[in-house]
């Protein structure tokens, strides 16, 4: 069963705390993505990873960093979280390196107080 | 940069009536268009992908692409209440390495 799994599903943090969002996929997909979804703004691309240790900034990378040490696992890190990083974060994967069909996880709802 | 806009913002249709959604984009050179659906509190599922002008049907969903007019439409045939969701248009950009999404159309299907 092809799956993208995100952990945790819900997270509440205080401003200034560090945040780690995890994403895993069992399809051996090369490319993985992190998006955030906000009302009125749609989904915005934060980072793309083309393979292990091959990461590229998306449209809104400021305040975020990523780590991909294994092909099936892609992490999003917020060092010293800010209130404007409250959002729903989606991880996605795709088989190739282009904009193939993206397979999405169920999302992580992050609240930064 | 590629811009993607969707209309209407929300749409209510009766069960069984055709629903039509509109997506406009700004870069005529794009060749990769997808419609996704997102039920409340869930992730996104792809409905139909289209890569050339014309129509592409997947089950009860039909995408219609007209690059000259910068439009891609989604028609939902005989929608059911379970089709109530947010529908998102996605277009390739940055040399085809990623998808840019519209803000979506919320569809409500009444029994």
């Amino acid at each position: 069963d092809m799956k993208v799994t995100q952990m945790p599903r819900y997270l509440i943090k205080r401003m200034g705390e560090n945040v780690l969002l995890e994403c895993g996929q069992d399809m051996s997909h090369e490319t993985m993505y992190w998006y955030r979804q906000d009302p009125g703004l749609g989904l915005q691309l934060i980072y793309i990873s083309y393979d292990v240790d091959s990461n590229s900034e998306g449209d809104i990378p400021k305040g975020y960093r990523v780590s991909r040490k294994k092909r099936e696992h892609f992490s999003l890190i917020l060092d010293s979280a800010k209130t404007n990083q409250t959002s729903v974060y989606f991880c996605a994967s795709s088989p190739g390196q282009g904009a193939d069909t993206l397979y999405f996880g169920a999302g992580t709802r992050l609240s930064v107080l | 940069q590629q811009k993607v806009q969707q209309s209407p913002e929300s749409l209510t249709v009766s069960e069984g009536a055709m629903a039509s959604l509109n997506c406009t984009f700004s870069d005529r050179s794009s060749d990769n268009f997808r419609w996704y659906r997102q039920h409340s509190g869930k992730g996104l599922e792809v409905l139909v992908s289209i890569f050339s002008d014309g129509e592409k049907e997947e089950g009860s969903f039909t995408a219609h692409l007209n690059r000259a007019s910068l439009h891609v439409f989604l028609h939902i045939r005989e929608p059911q209440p379970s089709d109530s969701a947010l529908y998102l248009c996605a277009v390739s950009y940055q040399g085809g390495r990623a998808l840019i999404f519209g803000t979506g159309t919320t569809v409500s299907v009444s029994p």
Side-chain angles (χ1 to χ4, degrees):
Chain A
D1 190 23
M2 300 187 297
K3 214 169 178 181
V4 177
T5 305
Q6 292 185 237
M7 295 290 287
R9 292 294 317 280
Y10 303 92
L11 188 59
I12 300 174
K13 287 286 194 177
R14 295 192 184 281
M15 192 170 61
E17 291 185 327
N18 297 333
V19 177
L20 174 64
L21 304 185
E22 311 256 28
C23 176
Q25 48 100 359
D26 61 3
M27 299 169 277
S28 296
H29 283 173
E30 285 186 48
T31 309
M32 296 186 75
Y33 306 80
W34 277 106
Y35 283 88
R36 63 179 280 179
Q37 185 178 33
D38 300 286
L41 295 177
L43 280 97
Q44 299 174 85
L45 180 64
I46 306 172
Y47 264 97
I48 306 172
S49 174
Y50 294 107
D51 211 329
V52 171
D53 285 330
S54 178
N55 305 317
S56 180
E57 293 182 346
D59 296 322
I60 53 162
K62 189 177 177 184
Y64 303 96
R65 62 184 174 93
V66 292
S67 174
R68 192 162 179 207
K69 298 300 181 186
K70 293 182 181 180
R71 177 174 274 200
E72 65 270 19
H73 193 247
F74 190 34
S75 301
L76 181 70
I77 301 128
L78 288 66
D79 295 313
S80 188
K82 299 172 181 50
T83 55
N84 63 7
Q85 291 178 307
T86 293
S87 187
V88 182
Y89 290 86
F90 285 98
C91 173
S93 70
S94 70
Q97 293 215 342
D100 289 327
T101 297
L102 270 61
Y103 296 85
F104 282 84
T108 294
R109 185 173 293 275
L110 172 66
S111 296
V112 182
L113 306 178
Chain B
Q1 181 180 315
Q2 177 76 269
K3 289 186 181 0
V4 178
Q5 293 183 305
Q6 291 185 240
S7 63
E9 204 171 295
S10 62
L11 179 65
T12 300
V13 296
S14 299
E15 186 175 353
M18 173 83 79
S20 293
L21 286 61
N22 181 30
C23 174
T24 61
F25 52 96
S26 59
D27 184 354
R28 198 171 273 116
S29 67
S30 294
D31 60 0
N32 190 333
F33 304 84
R34 298 170 199 272
W35 282 96
Y36 283 83
R37 178 171 69 182
Q38 184 182 28
H39 285 106
S40 182
K42 305 291 186 185
L44 282 71
E45 58 173 322
V46 62
L47 299 174
V48 57
S49 303
I50 187 165
F51 309 110
S52 58
D53 286 345
E55 289 192 349
K56 175 81 178 294
E57 186 177 313
E58 295 281 356
S60 60
F61 303 101
T62 301
H64 183 109
L65 173 63
N66 183 330
R67 269 185 289 194
S69 67
L70 299 171
H71 284 276
V72 56
F73 300 95
L74 179 70
H75 304 292
I76 309 172
R77 194 170 47 256
E78 297 184 353
Q80 303 299 307
S82 58
D83 291 316
S84 296
L86 178 68
Y87 288 77
L88 294 157
C89 170
V91 181
S92 65
Y93 77 123
Q94 293 195 4
R97 70 182 183 125
L99 293 176
I100 184 167
F101 287 81
T103 53
T105 294
T106 300
V107 174
S108 300
V109 182
S110 55

